[in-house]
Amino acid sequence: MKLLIDIGNSTIVVATITKNDEIGKTWRFKTVKEETVKFFRHELWAGFKKHNMLVTEIDEVVISSVVPEVNDDVAQAISDLTGVIPHFFCIDDALRCIKVDVESPSQLGKDRVADAIGALELYGAPAIVFDFGTATTVGIINGKETFVGGMIIPGVKTSLNALSSRASQLPVIDIEKPRNMIGRNTLECMQSGILYGTAAMIDGLIDRLLPLIGTNDNVKLIATGGMMKYITPYCQHKIIVEEFLQFKGILHATKQKKYSLHVV
């Protein structure tokens, strides 16, 4: 069995891959930079137990990480539980199946390039990929199937938490659809602002980006990430939603060629 792990700034997501190369069972837990191997071993084991998985069935593990501080501990936890030395998804894996034209490819976030590979494999090019996580990232794949860059924007929850923490009279709120777009109280104003405001930003970015990379007819618009389900329903552009886009990109990239195991 193959195991994929996405180490993000807020959460760590684990997914099993079926024999048909499909996403199987998944679970997630918080990314805690200060924790030790023991913590990550416990969280991984809890997932295995919950899904009635035998660790002896796992013979391959691939990790994508944007939090290098926990890489060693997660890798050690995996090795302790399964006996498998994990492979860390890297730019060399990506370059087997997508061209990258940015100033410093080695500094490109693994999540962004994996999203791009997944989008290219599933929907083709050109494409604009939005990943709604701790940061909202925008990735551009041009008509030549080349990742050419994009944007990094404060994420939905990141922006909302900053607003609540810096403005003494604004509360911490749940992200829900407001009763009115024109808010009639503080709660509605904040809910409307974060949902409709973010959606309007996405629509505006799409309008500005489309002329740069193609036409309205052939550019695919794709969204992924934990907050996508809150934002995309309020966008005026039709956006394809792919929950496991990053995992699908990593799976495709690491199937292309056998790699030597190494940690980066």
Side-chain angles (χ1 to χ4, degrees), residues 10-264:
S10 299
T11 58
I12 295 175
V13 186
V14 185
T16 61
I17 304 301
T18 69
K19 293 181 179 179
N20 297 324
D21 285 336
E22 296 178 350
I23 307 298
K25 300 169 183 177
T26 65
W27 70 95
R28 65 181 60 218
F29 52 93
K30 289 185 178 180
T31 304
V32 186
K33 297 179 182 179
E34 297 78 16
E35 280 292 354
T36 63
V37 174
K38 182 179 180 180
F39 168 81
F40 296 111
R41 190 166 52 231
H42 174 271
E43 294 295 335
L44 289 164
W45 176 252
F48 294 146
K49 186 175 180 181
K50 177 181 178 181
H51 294 293
N52 298 314
M53 294 171 54
L54 298 175
V55 294
T56 53
E57 295 177 333
I58 300 169
D59 58 8
E60 185 178 357
V61 181
V62 179
I63 300 175
S64 172
S65 175
V66 295
V67 189
E69 296 93 327
V70 304
N71 285 358
D72 289 344
D73 287 339
V74 174
Q76 185 62 56
I78 283 292
S79 181
D80 290 346
L81 291 170
T82 69
V84 175
I85 300 175
H87 170 75
F88 277 76
F89 176 70
C90 62
I91 190 65
D92 289 341
D93 298 322
L95 291 176
R96 296 190 190 110
C97 47
I98 193 171
K99 292 172 282 187
V100 175
D101 183 13
V102 297
E103 289 186 359
S104 301
S106 62
Q107 296 178 8
L108 179 61
K110 309 302 186 300
D111 52 345
R112 297 179 67 200
V113 71
D115 284 342
I117 293 168
L120 182 60
E121 174 66 11
L122 293 172
Y123 301 102
I128 304 175
V129 184
F130 299 93
D131 192 331
F132 295 94
T134 303
T136 296
T137 63
V138 185
I140 308 299
I141 308 166
N142 67 17
K144 297 180 180 179
E145 300 187 349
T146 302
F147 180 89
V148 294
M151 303 175 185
I152 301 176
I153 306 162
V156 175
K157 282 189 175 180
T158 302
S159 299
L160 193 57
N161 291 339
L163 184 63
S164 298
S165 64
R166 296 296 295 272
S168 59
Q169 291 187 307
L170 297 182
V172 176
I173 68 167
D174 292 326
I175 300 176
E176 298 176 354
K177 181 181 179 180
R179 290 181 298 174
N180 304 291
M181 181 176 180
I182 301 176
R184 294 178 57 80
N185 55 55
T186 300
L187 176 62
E188 286 184 358
C189 287
M190 293 179 69
Q191 289 174 332
S192 180
I194 200 66
L195 291 180
Y196 290 104
T198 304
M201 175 190 70
I202 297 302
D203 282 324
L205 288 175
I206 292 171
D207 289 337
R208 293 187 178 209
L209 288 168
L210 285 176
L212 302 178
I213 59 175
T215 67
N216 293 10
D217 296 328
N218 67 358
V219 178
K220 291 78 177 176
L221 307 176
I222 305 154
T224 192
M227 301 306 297
M228 64 179 177
K229 62 183 179 181
Y230 295 100
I231 303 303
T232 53
Y234 301 98
C235 293
Q236 294 180 344
H237 287 277
K238 185 177 181 180
I239 301 175
I240 301 166
V241 171
E242 272 289 345
E243 182 179 6
F244 297 117
L245 184 66
Q246 184 178 161
F247 279 145
K248 291 177 180 179
I250 295 169
L251 180 61
H252 178 68
T254 54
K255 281 197 310 179
Q256 299 307 299
K257 183 179 179 181
K258 285 297 180 181
Y259 40 73
S260 58
L261 297 177
H262 64 285
V263 175
V264 296

